[in-house]
Amino acid sequence: MPGRFLTSVAVKLQGQIYIFDAGEGSQINLRKVKLGIKSLRVLAISHLHGDHCLGVPGLIMMRAQVQEAGSLTILGPPGTERFIRQLHESLAFFLNYPLSFVEWNEGSSEVAYEDDLVRILWGPLKHTTLCLGYRLEEHPRPGKFKKEAAIALGIPYGPLWGRLQRGETVTLDQGNQISPNLVLGPPRPGRKICYAVDTQPNQTLYRLCQDVDLAFLDGMFLPKHHEEARAKGHMTADDAARVAARSGVRHAVLVHISPRYTEDDMGEFADAAKGRFENAEIGADLQQFTIPYREEDP
Ligand SMILES: [Zn+2]
Ligand SMILES: [Zn+2]
């Protein structure tokens, strides 16, 4: 719709990009927010309904316009690889980097993907076809540096402090070794995001949402259209807000609002969501969120 693109969420962490779903035209908004396509590491597809995957070809082709982009991992349900490979064969578009596919199946591990920054978990939701929900978890960070402990151990202020903070064991001039656990507090949890659309509440949805900092959830219908939501495998705004509240989500953003609604209906959506969960809001195109570390909250 004009002013309301199809759902796609990009997560940027230390310059790397992870994208969840790509509806038609997603590459246009990616350009608008100036997220470099080269650093796209993972494209995670919820399911093979057109409104979630027809933007994938555009993103893949756009990424081929840069040099040495490195491999791209595509996560999705069975049929994802066939969809992309057939398209590549039919259109014979230029591709200058390798694609690697991971398709979910009944025996899949809960962890779909892992690199030096994050791990991505997945699981089947409850829709009219197999639809996957995702949870992105930043790796835990080393504990807080305890200055007093460092001083008491006679470690001079300087580069050695930095190395200990990064988890390295160091040797002092006197020859004694200091292991980082002597000067670091317990590891601090990383930030967590859930992305789950095109679903009704189910156990997997609750598990993927558990205690996340930010959840993007299907809030397609108003409560008065709940029968339609159930028939089409979606949630109403209050369904989504209830899931968020019950699973300890800190902040929920409801997305994938049905095109039957206009901007005038957004207030009713927000009321329905906030009635169940104070920290719920209705998402908008190009909206950006910065997730603070929990102990750095004001
Ligand atoms: Zn769908
Ligand atoms: Zn959809």
Side-chain angles (χ1 to χ4, degrees), residues 47 51-52 198 220 234 256:
H47 63 311
D51 54 331
H52 297 263
D198 286 42
M220 189 175 243
H234 285 279
H256 206 357

Side-chain angles (χ1 to χ4, degrees), residues 209-226:
C209 276
Q210 196 66 49
D211 292 326
V212 298
D213 297 277
L214 183 58
F216 294 93
L217 298 174
D218 178 333
M220 189 175 243
F221 290 99
L222 282 172
K224 63 188 175 197
H225 299 130
H226 63 95

Side-chain angles (χ1 to χ4, degrees), residues 86-211:
Q86 284 182 345
L87 202 79
H88 186 208
E89 198 184 305
S90 304
L91 304 183
F93 57 79
F94 175 66
L95 203 56
N96 56 356
Y97 57 88
L99 296 174
S100 82
F101 291 89
V102 187
E103 293 186 347
W104 185 89
N105 63 59
E106 287 288 346
S108 283
S109 153
E110 197 183 32
V111 179
Y113 169 89
E114 183 157 13
D115 62 25
D116 54 326
L117 300 175
V118 300
R119 62 177 199 161
I120 298 175
L121 290 81
W122 59 357
L125 299 170
K126 188 181 172 192
H127 189 44
T128 54
T129 184
L130 174 60
C131 179
L132 300 167
Y134 290 97
R135 173 184 174 102
L136 179 139
E137 297 183 347
E138 182 184 24
H139 291 318
R141 297 172 301 143
K144 265 211 170 102
F145 191 79
K146 297 189 281 193
K147 278 187 203 167
E148 302 74 23
I151 293 164
L153 287 163
I155 308 164
Y157 173 75
L160 289 181
W161 284 31
R163 287 175 53 199
L164 285 162
Q165 171 74 82
R166 287 192 295 275
E168 294 173 34
T169 295
V170 301
T171 306
L172 301 185
D173 285 346
Q174 307 89 301
N176 44 335
Q177 287 201 326
I178 306 287
S179 77
N181 62 326
L182 294 173
V183 293
L184 296 183
R188 292 172 288 177
R191 293 161 291 184
K192 299 176 185 69
I193 293 172
C194 172
Y195 174 82
V197 292
D198 286 42
T199 186
Q200 294 222 275
N202 77 345
Q203 269 193 349
T204 306
L205 178 62
Y206 278 95
R207 206 173 65 239
L208 294 171
C209 276
Q210 196 66 49
D211 292 326

